[in-house]
Amino acid sequence: PNLRIASARAGNVIGGGDWAEDRIVPDAIRALAEGKPIGIRNPKATRPWQHVLEPLSGYLTLAEQLTSTSDAGPLASSFNFGPQLEANRSVLELVEESLRYWPGQWEDQSDPTSPHEANLLNLVVDKAHHQLGWQPRWPFETTVERTVNWYRRIEERQASALECCLDDLTAYLTSTN
């Protein structure tokens, strides 16, 4: 068999269904649902925020092209999947954008004695664009709006998790780059 292997990496992924602790979006959603302020540990930290559907579309594009081309050599390498550079925003900007869709408060909980966390993360996705024709579809604002509304609809019992996921998929597949 002709084995074809590539490596794929994603930036900071957000989207409905993540309930892990010590992650800014799930922590923010729990605070909002409880009517408490969102605690921010590192408001100035900048991340390449993207909706979970973005890297998934990249992974599927890469897999499809790896299996459909006779010469997978150039594709059997590493790829980054992330947002456009303008979607790199601070944690504070992420929280403030989130509060547009679910009003609440935030508070600075910076602790100079906490373990070091990188202030700036970035991903270069040019290779995925040039070799695969892949590019993200949703800007930062859409990513945050879809994410917050996913959780809010669940919290307010407006829809099931499955319905929210299917709505996001439909919106993503019908959007243009």
Side-chain angles (χ1 to χ4, degrees), residues 150-165:
W150 191 100
Y151 288 102
R152 192 164 185 187
R153 290 175 67 202
I154 298 294
E155 177 66 23
E156 295 175 355
R157 301 192 188 323
Q158 296 174 1
S160 68
L162 176 61
E163 290 169 319
C164 291
C165 288

Side-chain angles (χ1 to χ4, degrees), residues 43-105:
K44 294 180 183 174
T46 302
R47 302 288 183 259
W49 308 108
Q50 66 180 325
H51 195 277
V52 64
L53 295 177
E54 298 285 14
L56 292 178
S57 77
Y59 299 162
L60 291 171
T61 299
L62 176 58
E64 179 182 43
Q65 290 189 30
L66 267 172
T67 59
S68 66
T69 183
S70 58
D71 179 20
L75 299 178
S77 61
S78 59
F79 289 86
N80 288 331
F81 296 98
Q84 300 291 354
L85 201 49
E86 62 269 9
N88 276 21
R89 304 287 180 91
S90 70
V91 170
L92 179 56
E93 289 173 286
L94 173 68
V95 168
E96 287 179 338
E97 184 70 21
S98 297
L99 293 175
R100 290 183 59 208
Y101 308 104
W102 193 334
Q105 303 288 323

Side-chain angles (χ1 to χ4, degrees), residues 28-38 102-106 155:
I29 295 302
R30 279 188 285 275
L32 291 168
E34 295 170 10
K36 296 178 179 176
I38 300 167
W102 193 334
Q105 303 288 323
W106 67 271
E155 177 66 23

